[in-house]
Amino acid sequence: MTTYGRSPWADGVPKARVPAYPRQRGAAVAPVVIVGGGLTGCATAYAFAAAGIEVVLLEAGRVGQGSTIAASGWIGPDPGVGFDDVERAVGVKVARYAFRAWRRAALDFAALVRRLDIACDLAPHASAVVATTADQAARLARDYKGRRDAGIDASALPARTAKGELALDVVAGAKDAASAVAQPYRLCLGLASAAAARGAAIFERSPVQKIAFDRKRATVVLAGGTIQADRVILATGASTALCRSLGRHFSERRTYSALTARVPAAVRRELGTRTVVLRDAGQPAHLVRWVDDDRVLIGGADGPPAAARQHERTIVQRTGQLMYELSLLYPAMSGLPPEYGWEAAYARTSDGLPFIGPHRNFPHQLFALGDASHGLTGAYLASRLLLRYYQDELVPGDELFAFTRHER
């Protein structure tokens, strides 16, 4: 039987091992308050706590049980949007910096997870982008020409190699080794635990009602109390009622995922290597990766959110669609049932890159919004950028992720 509307990562952590954090109550003062207890919020809490900065993290529900628990688990080397698309939107300087920063963050994030020894099934998996049609091949060629012209590594994946490694007949492809996979919910819980061990105060079931500010500081107002802070970081992924006016910068989207039942050994032998995260050059793209070496996750079918009355039906329909599209890639999987089918909400900017940094209309606040990469790397990248903003130690190029990049 297929489980709809719930990701497999939720069932991968026994309830007895899910940490419980208290509700926030009373009045408090802290240098930094982070709103949002997903992967970005927890990575940021750890970065600040490890730097010796007192930090409070506030999660409206349970840590990691929002968009993080529905993520693909891919620590990818690029922001999930075409280089040429970013270059056309905001110029080659922004595109070059963004792609270099993203790739470096993927490597550094995996290194941090290993150093903290977080039990989240971290494993190195190269990523491959393939074109299965002439139109996709032309798009892929333009994209990787732009990367090469900008001095960014772009290794070709010949059709013959793709056939041998991936068991796919493709027109063209490219490959990058700076990639890994992990169980995203366990990773988030591990970062929260590491942050708490460094002194971060974490509160669950503590929704923020509003953020007020004056010339000196911000005041975070909750049902149970208030926190005065020098800086408030909104790591909510999308604009919320706390920053409603920023909604114009984003479009609300949904992506869908399906996880197969266990693939029979005889079929697995026909499907090539199981240590590569596969994406196609379609629009929207698909992401395919192995889970536990015997099941396959496919993501894609992105679109605007369905009407509330059609929500459950849409998840069922998109799960079936993804399983059909997986069978087109790998006919040997035809007829294999899905074990899980679920959706994830995200916000997308006009150029596909997130906004990380301050906004002139929101004093004493920093933002990490609009990561549409469908991967985990953006959380780590945001945590490092936000720390540099707070410490006033920006490096050249950091400002290119800010809201002002479209003014250049």
Side-chain angles (χ1 to χ4, degrees), residues 220-347:
V220 180
V221 180
L222 303 96
T226 61
I227 306 175
Q228 291 189 333
D230 297 329
R231 197 66 63 93
V232 178
I233 297 172
L234 270 72
T236 52
S239 61
T240 68
L242 301 175
C243 55
R244 195 182 305 277
S245 63
L246 298 183
R248 68 185 186 277
H249 294 289
F250 308 96
S251 59
E252 189 178 355
R253 305 281 290 173
R254 297 290 185 273
T255 189
Y256 298 85
S257 298
L259 181 70
T260 69
R262 286 180 168 78
V263 181
V267 176
R268 294 200 299 269
R269 287 193 289 270
E270 299 181 32
L271 302 180
T273 181
R274 296 191 282 280
T275 57
V276 172
V277 177
L278 175 67
R279 291 177 293 158
D280 62 22
Q283 293 183 332
H286 294 91
L287 183 147
V288 179
R289 79 172 185 91
W290 286 86
V291 175
D292 298 331
D293 205 41
D294 61 0
R295 295 179 293 172
V296 175
L297 183 153
I298 179 170
D302 295 30
R309 66 182 183 279
Q310 297 177 331
H311 178 251
E312 294 182 5
R313 182 186 303 175
T314 300
I315 294 176
V316 174
Q317 186 272 327
R318 297 296 172 86
T319 299
Q321 175 186 338
L322 288 171
M323 293 299 297
Y324 170 71
E325 290 165 349
L326 180 63
S327 72
L328 295 180
L329 282 173
Y330 292 108
M333 288 193 184
S334 181
L336 193 67
E339 190 172 308
Y340 289 85
W342 70 99
E343 68 168 359
Y346 68 98

Side-chain angles (χ1 to χ4, degrees), residues 10 80 87 95-97 109 168 181 190 221 225 265 292 300 304 308 310 345 360 363:
E87 182 180 356
R96 182 188 299 119
Y97 178 79
F109 196 13
L168 283 177
V181 296
V221 180
D292 298 331
Q310 297 177 331
R360 61 178 178 267

